[in-house]
Amino acid sequence: METAVEEWLTAARDDLETVSEILGNPRLTHVVAFHTQQCVEKGFKAVLEKHEETVPNIHNLITLHGRVEKHLSAEIDVDLDMLDRLNELYIDARYPGERGLLLEGKPSKTEAQHFHAFAEKLFETIRQHAEGD
């Protein structure tokens, strides 16, 4: 595995570990969403590095998925609705007050748990992909 790929995966793993640490705190579901989005984004960027493609300076998971789908399609069926939801929450989770939440407020604890499970599964698939030839 190339160094840049390893660096993206390490950064993604750090976000996933952060989520694991805070998942039980119902006040931090928006932070779970943020770090889940970051884990997925960095995982997708690891795939691009693995295939020696340009890694864009973007955060949109749908766009990034479109760039990596050809490399992962046989390994995982990615939930595009989940990617869209994480996109919505990415910016929103970083700001307080009205600018910082969706109309319905913070994600629920259950939704945060779904984010975590989604990110774990995707991260593991990407890690295995990156380690393969």
Side-chain angles (χ1 to χ4, degrees):
M1 206 174 3
E2 301 84 36
T3 303
V5 175
E6 291 172 353
E7 289 174 0
W8 282 116
L9 289 176
T10 296
R13 183 178 300 112
D14 290 348
D15 284 305
L16 195 55
E17 287 180 17
T18 299
V19 170
S20 295
E21 291 289 325
I22 64 173
L23 189 59
N25 187 333
R27 289 184 47 243
L28 299 178
T29 58
H30 62 298
V31 181
V32 167
F34 174 79
H35 284 286
T36 300
Q37 187 281 342
Q38 285 290 283
C39 175
V40 173
E41 175 185 332
K42 293 167 187 174
F44 285 162
K45 289 179 177 181
V47 173
L48 292 173
E49 287 284 0
K50 164 84 175 163
H51 295 280
E52 299 179 349
E53 294 186 27
T54 301
V55 177
N57 290 325
I58 62 170
H59 308 287
N60 186 300
L61 298 181
I62 300 292
T63 302
L64 289 168
H65 175 260
R67 302 267 311 265
V68 302
E69 184 177 23
K70 63 187 172 214
H71 303 299
L72 296 176
S73 63
E75 297 165 58
I76 191 168
D77 184 25
V78 175
D79 182 346
L80 296 179
D81 290 335
M82 179 69 79
L83 296 182
D84 190 47
R85 179 72 169 151
L86 290 171
N87 273 343
E88 289 178 52
L89 291 165
Y90 169 68
I91 296 296
D92 297 337
R94 301 186 316 174
Y95 298 103
E98 290 180 16
R99 289 188 60 201
L101 298 174
L102 298 171
L103 293 175
E104 68 273 16
K106 291 182 183 180
S108 69
K109 187 175 177 182
T110 300
E111 190 172 26
Q113 292 167 337
H114 289 305
F115 294 155
H116 181 242
F118 174 78
E120 278 187 318
K121 182 178 178 182
L122 187 60
F123 176 82
E124 186 56 28
T125 299
I126 288 171
R127 186 192 60 75
Q128 289 176 8
H129 177 84
E131 289 177 354
D133 292 328

